[in-house]
Amino acid sequence: MASARPVLEAPEISRVLTRIAHEVLERNRGADDLVLLGIPTRGTHLARRVAERLVAAEPGAGPLEQLVGSLDVTMHRDDLRRNPVRALGRTSLPPGGVDDCVVVLVDDVLFSGRTVRAALDALSDLGRPRAVRLAVLVDRGHRQLPIRADHVGKNLPTAAEESVRVMLEEVDGRDAVLISGPDDAPEPAPEPAREQAPGAADEEGAR
Amino acid sequence: MSTTDTPAPTGAAGDGAVPPVLVRRARLLGGEETDLLLAGGRVARTGPGGSLEAPDGARVVEAAGLVALPGLVDLHTHLREPGREDAETVRTGSRAAALGGFTAVHAMANTDPVADTAGVVEQVWRLGREVGLVDVRPVGAVTVGLAGERLAELGAMATSAARVRVFSDDGRCVHDPVLMRRALEYVRSVDGVVAQHAQDPRLTEGAQMHEGVVSSVLGLRGWPAVAEEAVIARDVLLADHVGSRLHVCHVSTAGSVEILRWAKARGVDVTAEVTPHHLLLTDELVRGYDPVYKVNPPLRTRADVEALREAVADGTVDVVATDHAPHPVEDKDCEWAAAAMGMTGLETALSVVQEALVETGLLGWADVARVLSSAPARIGRLEDHGRPLAEGEPAHLVLVDPAARRPVTPEQHATQGRNSPYRGMELPGRVVATVLRGRPVVLDGALVGDEPAGAPGAS
Amino acid sequence: MRHLLSAADLSREDALELLDVAEEMAATQAREIKKLPTLRGRTVVNLFFEDSTRTRISFEAAAKRLSADVITFSAKGSSVSKGESLKDTALTLQAMGADAVVLRHSASGAAHRLAHAGWSGVGVLNAGDGTHEHPTQALLDAFTLRRRLAERAGGDPARVLEGARVAVVGDVLHSRVARSNVLLLETLGADVVLVAPPTLLPVGVGTWPCRTSWDLDAVLPDVDAVMVLRVQRERMGGGGFFPSAQEYTRRFGLDGRRLRLLPDHALVMHPGPMNRGLEISAEAADSPRSTIVEQVANGVAVRMAALYLLLAGEDAA
């Protein structure tokens, strides 16, 4: 993938996540009633990293297990019939659940907005949060639904045919955000990845 | 093969108007090239290949490369008429038989009404005569209505126009040992034979397939080999005791072969048949639950198939008989347990025998003539069939192209049944011509008088 | 996954994926809102040619929890009872736009036939065919077993069943549950022993991937779970598979005494419905080590997983 061009490397990703953690704290005026739910696969790891930073920055926050969870949206997706059947990710909520909490959904890339739409539906089956916010590492535009992020690591103007790929240490062995043109051969993904066709109703290039 | 002259009309029972036929350069029983002049329903002359001149008005059949055998005789055919004309009729079954190289078939008694009276057997016999493609020899039921309770009027059937000599409750076993004994004794007076369907009914209640490894996995009720073997063992002892002839239908297990071998060595007057499908197919085919493989007796194991082939080769099993059992599509296009048992076989029998016995080196063509013609004719007391192709003998013969290979397409068969288990298989051999009493009924692999398949325009 | 006809169709990876998906499904069933939109717009037909309220309800619940439209067709007792009607029913269902058929039938191989006879293109889920197989029952048994054994020992869920020792006791000859369990447990690495009187073990069982025994007392001390099969009373007497209910219970029934022969952690399983007092005593059925009620609950999650894997993906061409 010679022409896949890095737009964020490990140190920037780290800085961005720290900033998002601070923004979330500031917006929420502290860590009270705060729950971070990552959307599997990479959103889960990002949520955990943000939560770690949050605990470090806010002495009153924590423990981590009460602050962070994961929310699989597969069963709420509207594109199931367009793709081969996929394994389910994990959904795990903090012990206190989400009722009356401020839930911050965390994902790697915001694209069409359909994953977030599915996440909002999935969330409403789990309880009734006081408010729901959205944090993403990259917003690449091309929304198909009226959805916007509250916290954005990096706004990345892209062409619709381009593909954005987030790699994380926990899954991919390194931290990076790569962008590649439509002509680039896709790099084999380390785990089952959904190839992103131009205009695909999907946020991530790979999970 | 090519022929000259115009085809004679089919369907005529009379033989008087048949012009002479000269078969040129046929390999007699697979041996030397021979010319055969057929006239007056008999083999008039034979001579070395190319030596005979065609008389005026004779049809010449060029048979170079073809094997000539005496017309085949099937000891076990289900023609379904009367009663199940949706499955087969004497007419469609006769067509299938002729195309398969048969000049005589024994029509089993399990019709509706059952062929257990002189009236029914004469009806079947007469239908066969009207069609005129093969000699249809009815089999009479042993017991009234195949119910296994009391003897049918065997004598009346024997002395009827149908001249029944083979009696069988096929499809059911004559299970009552006393009744079986009486039947064996009684048929001696008409020079008949009881053809036993050896199947212990209690051991096979609800049975669906051979009992063994495959049935255990498929959860289909097992049909133990012993259910066949135990009846054969009893019957050979009974036949020995009363000094009667016994014929055992569709032997299917290695154990049955062992019992027969023992009985023959002991001098019991027993003969036995095996079907083509039991010489080729095994119970492994059932794994897909396709009822086309559902048959009675069931397909057995590879070891049984091997034992049966050897038994035919060494004469322990005397005859290959088709047990041709056509069924309408709906009786097979369903789940296994609901499906009817049986397979078609008339049009594939010779090919299967070639595949299983000739190409494996177990049988020569002379042996094929024995197991498919002379032995079944002798058992059925058909004096006019199964004779050598020699001067003065009846002119029933079949010409086979042993070099041909073709896939089996049941839709192209003349039988009404589409339930051929060989669908899609490529089998060797092709029946090119069948001659009944000097009259060609099949030429170029098609019934004489039929338009060739796909030929443009009918005249 | 196009059809689920036999436990033998599942590779180790397939089976583990299904069990993992079932875990997620089970988690959703602990919530207040149990319904998921996943199969919205899909039609599942429950086609039951044989009575089985439990299995039918379980599949019905599973399909409904995934928002599929469910049509239940109980053919038992109606004019359709044999033969060609299976084909005609299949054609009807196809015409009605069914996406999947859950088939229960008294004929072994009926599901296989429905899937492969070329009658229709719908996905087929075998909910029990004659004395052949009942793969979702085996999956829910494995699910239950895996959960319970993992609670005790922990470890990689993919390997919990490796080396697990399971006794399957009773009418193996006529049991579709036994056949599916032997195949699936073998796939997952468990060690299965079948315990039954010789009359209730099929000829050919020696080639199955398991051991057999006629001595329940000798087997019990060495197992992690004992799976008791239903014994049908009509197999006695004229059928003659065993002399009497009393003798069966004495030799093969799981009673209090035998319960105490089991290791402390060992589980008692039964696919239901039970003949209390015949193959299992009340003491065994109601003991804390019994998973019988749990099996029923897990059945819904496992069937949700099966329906999900069968139906959630892209439309079959």
Side-chain angles (χ1 to χ4, degrees), chain C residues 58-132:
Chain C
S58 183
F59 269 108
E60 222 169 273
K64 285 179 171 167
R65 300 266 164 89
L66 290 170
S67 299
D69 293 321
V70 182
I71 299 169
T72 295
F73 185 64
S74 291
K76 178 87 195 301
S78 72
S79 60
V80 271
S81 56
K82 68 166 273 207
E84 189 214 27
S85 64
L86 179 61
K87 175 184 181 177
D88 284 339
T89 311
L91 296 176
T92 308
L93 300 176
Q94 173 94 330
M96 283 166 60
D99 295 294
V101 173
V102 175
L103 179 69
R104 173 70 153 240
H105 202 287
S106 59
S108 298
H112 200 280
R113 204 74 185 116
L114 184 60
H116 295 301
W119 300 331
S120 82
V122 300
V124 177
L125 223 154
N126 184 3
D129 62 327
T131 55
H132 177 223

Side-chain angles (χ1 to χ4, degrees), chain B residues 202 211-221 224 287-292 329-339, chain C residues 81-84 86-87 105 107-110 112-113 117 119 129-133 174 179 202-205 207-208 238:
Chain B
R202 280 283 281 152
E211 182 167 58
V213 172
V214 182
S215 69
S216 81
V217 171
L218 296 183
L220 289 172
R221 181 96 49 97
R287 287 187 188 273
Y289 290 103
D290 186 342
V292 78
V329 168
E330 60 269 25
D331 286 355
K332 286 288 191 180
D333 198 18
C334 54
E335 64 272 23
W336 182 275
Chain C
S81 56
K82 68 166 273 207
E84 189 214 27
L86 179 61
K87 175 184 181 177
H105 202 287
S108 298
H112 200 280
R113 204 74 185 116
W119 300 331
D129 62 327
T131 55
H132 177 223
E133 286 211 42
H174 300 98
R179 280 177 181 74
V203 168
V205 75
T207 60
W208 290 15

Side-chain angles (χ1 to χ4, degrees), chain B residues 109-440:
Chain B
N110 61 339
T111 49
D112 183 15
V114 170
D116 58 1
T117 61
V120 177
V121 294
E122 283 193 353
Q123 180 196 351
V124 173
W125 173 76
R126 194 161 294 120
L127 284 167
R129 294 254 301 177
E130 282 165 13
V131 175
L133 292 170
V134 295
D135 287 349
V136 175
R137 192 75 178 300
V139 173
V142 177
T143 66
V144 174
L146 309 177
E149 287 162 5
R150 57 197 173 88
L151 292 180
E153 289 185 351
L154 310 181
M157 291 189 272
T159 54
S160 73
R163 298 182 62 245
V164 175
R165 292 294 176 273
V166 180
F167 297 92
S168 180
D169 275 2
D170 181 64
R172 307 236 190 118
C173 181
V174 181
H175 181 239
D176 180 337
V178 176
L179 200 59
M180 185 62 184
R181 173 193 172 148
R182 300 285 180 247
L184 285 168
E185 287 174 317
Y186 192 82
V187 295
R188 293 176 65 185
S189 65
V190 296
D191 194 24
V193 66
V194 175
Q196 174 70 293
H197 174 118
Q199 177 191 355
D200 183 284
R202 280 283 281 152
L203 280 171
T204 52
E205 272 171 24
Q208 298 291 320
M209 70 172 294
H210 173 66
E211 182 167 58
V213 172
V214 182
S215 69
S216 81
V217 171
L218 296 183
L220 289 172
R221 181 96 49 97
W223 191 311
V226 64
E228 173 175 312
E229 293 154 3
V231 172
I232 295 176
R234 181 200 72 178
D235 286 354
V236 294
L237 293 173
L238 273 177
D240 193 24
H241 180 62
V242 300
S244 290
R245 268 206 304 151
L246 167 72
H247 179 71
V248 184
C249 296
H250 43 51
V251 165
S252 71
T253 77
S256 296
V257 169
E258 284 308 304
I259 294 164
L260 289 166
R261 199 169 275 139
W262 172 85
K264 286 191 166 186
R266 186 182 157 108
V268 179
D269 192 2
V270 59
T271 54
E273 73 193 29
V274 60
T275 70
H277 44 273
H278 288 108
L279 289 171
L280 196 62
L281 310 177
T282 71
D283 62 345
E284 288 292 328
L285 290 164
V286 180
R287 287 187 188 273
Y289 290 103
D290 186 342
V292 78
Y293 301 113
K294 184 173 176 179
V295 65
N296 176 353
L299 298 179
R300 306 285 187 182
T301 67
R302 176 53 52 190
D304 293 305
V305 167
E306 297 300 333
L308 290 165
R309 289 180 179 187
E310 278 173 32
V312 176
D314 70 16
T316 304
V317 166
D318 307 79
V319 167
V320 176
T322 65
D323 197 3
H324 173 79
H327 288 289
V329 168
E330 60 269 25
D331 286 355
K332 286 288 191 180
D333 198 18
C334 54
E335 64 272 23
W336 182 275
M341 289 184 274
M343 305 171 161
T344 61
L346 283 171
E347 287 159 273
T348 46
L350 190 53
S351 288
V352 174
V353 165
Q354 187 181 340
E355 170 87 3
L357 299 173
V358 178
E359 307 221 327
T360 52
L362 290 167
L363 254 53
W365 287 105
D367 303 311
V368 173
R370 171 169 52 83
V371 301
L372 275 170
S373 182
S374 60
R378 191 184 70 245
I379 293 165
R381 298 296 190 248
L382 270 170
E383 294 81 4
D384 188 34
H385 284 268
R387 303 293 306 163
L389 292 173
E391 285 177 16
E393 295 288 353
H396 306 301
L397 75 106
V398 54
L399 297 174
V400 189
D401 177 3
R405 286 195 76 86
R406 53 190 183 143
V408 177
T409 310
E411 285 68 26
Q412 292 172 0
H413 286 174
T415 172
Q416 271 174 235
R418 294 293 168 260
N419 50 310
S420 169
Y422 313 108
R423 178 188 294 277
M425 284 176 70
E426 195 184 85
L427 292 176
R430 173 171 175 264
V431 171
V432 176
T434 308
V435 179
L436 175 69
R437 247 180 296 283
R439 180 167 60 85

Side-chain angles (χ1 to χ4, degrees), chain C residues 235-252:
Chain C
R235 308 268 184 239
M236 296 174 287
F241 287 96
F242 48 91
S244 71
Q246 290 74 13
E247 172 143 332
Y248 183 87
T249 305
R250 270 197 301 275
R251 302 191 69 203
F252 297 97

